[in-house]
Amino acid sequence: MHKDNLQKGTRAIHIGNEPDEKTGSVIPPIYQTSTFVQSSPGVHKGYEYTRSHNPTRTRLEECLASLENAKYCLVTSSGMAAVSLIFQSFPQGTKILCGDDVYGGTYRILNTIFNDRFELKHVNTTDVDSVKTELNSFKPDLVWLESPTNPMLQISDIKAICEASHALNAKVVVDNTFMSPYFQNPLDLGADVVLHSLTKYINGHSDVVGGAIMLNDMTQFDKLWYLQNSMGPSQSPFDSWLVLRGVKTLALRMRAHATNAIEIATYLEAHPKVDKVIYPGLQSHPQHELAKRQMSGFGGMLSVYIKGGLKESKTFLEEVKLFALAESLGGVESLIEHPAIMTHASVPLEERAKLGIADNFVRISAGVEDIEDLIADLSNALDRI
Ligand SMILES: *Cc1c(COP(=O)(O)O)cnc(C)c1O
């Protein structure tokens, strides 16, 4: 049995989670240590210091590399640490073409921290022709995209963008956090680098902050590891162990998230107090066909325009009981939030308006609770408006 032939649900449980060779412990130990003994100066068993490497983190990296069909994986202390390390691995003056609807933290770091280091242009990556136009005129070295985007859930054609970018020698990075490796594998579609916030679906239990970078190029991987070791954003052994534990149920959770999300989307789409629902699994989603082609499931995120304005959306958000009013996503518990005030407040008002992040716009992360309870909670909150 070759491990690469296993299905993803099996790999999530078995790769990196092999029993401890020394003791037979079915669950791998947490190597809660900062340093490792050497038998003679420079003679060690592959581990010297936990900022550089740690056996618990190595196990998680093996598991996550396998889930993204990647040769290499680097686990970082947060999703933003992964984002920063990838940007740091590109030289001063790099031209970056970035999706116009990316994670707020990615938008912020590009526009306020790295703005004097890189040349930056934003583009709507859901329109392949606009990307091609920019590839020809702006001539970026790096194309950065999320699909589906956050919070508008727009889908970009990853394969077409990779082909067009590679034809002009631009690298493509895909933030795959929203789909998790269970529903989408961008490296298989041609991407050069994939990143995840482990904080979300991969850990799945809202109790760890972490990030991961997956790729097939050894030189680029070495550079990323060198940067991590030099700058310090490595994940702690205990957090790596928690993610190794959480990821085991990724397949079960993703299927449950997606089943609940389509039920909620269908319910809300027919509700008189709702203007519009955005979910890639709905026929009404403008890129439903592309989503079907590119992803093996539609994920657990959906966005909703409540009828009315700030007053109505606030009432709705205050009245839900099971849905926790909180930032973040991808945990087993359902979350709900107001992007304009919460997650996307750092995106300038005019950008938000352009994207459609209005006062009546609400983002939902469908958890894995029983659907009857979730629908009843939403129904009750909508009645209070
Ligand atoms: C949360 C998130 C990040 C940042 O991850 P942290 O773990 O919060 O640092 C990056 N990209 C996307 C799409 C995210 O949802």
Side-chain angles (χ1 to χ4, degrees), residues 77-83 102-106 144 146 148-150 175-178 195-200 208-211 328-329 363:
S77 58
S78 70
M80 282 317 297
V83 170
V102 291
Y103 179 66
T106 303
W144 185 287
E146 288 176 24
T149 59
N150 171 21
D175 182 336
N176 199 26
T177 300
F178 266 44
L195 79 114
H196 284 276
S197 167
L198 302 181
T199 317
K200 316 295 167 54
V208 173
V209 172
S328 197
L329 59 109
R363 189 186 79 177

Side-chain angles (χ1 to χ4, degrees), residues 132-159:
K132 284 183 178 164
T133 303
E134 292 299 342
L135 282 165
N136 282 304
S137 59
F138 179 55
K139 300 194 188 325
D141 307 290
L142 171 62
V143 177
W144 185 287
L145 64 95
E146 288 176 24
S147 182
T149 59
N150 171 21
M152 303 312 296
L153 302 166
Q154 296 182 322
I155 315 285
S156 299
D157 189 333
I158 298 174
K159 195 159 176 240

Side-chain angles (χ1 to χ4, degrees), residues 72-74 215 217-226:
Y72 307 102
C73 171
L74 187 73
L215 70 170
D217 183 87
M218 193 173 73
T219 312
Q220 176 81 358
F221 171 74
D222 287 345
K223 199 166 180 177
L224 289 163
W225 176 81
Y226 183 84

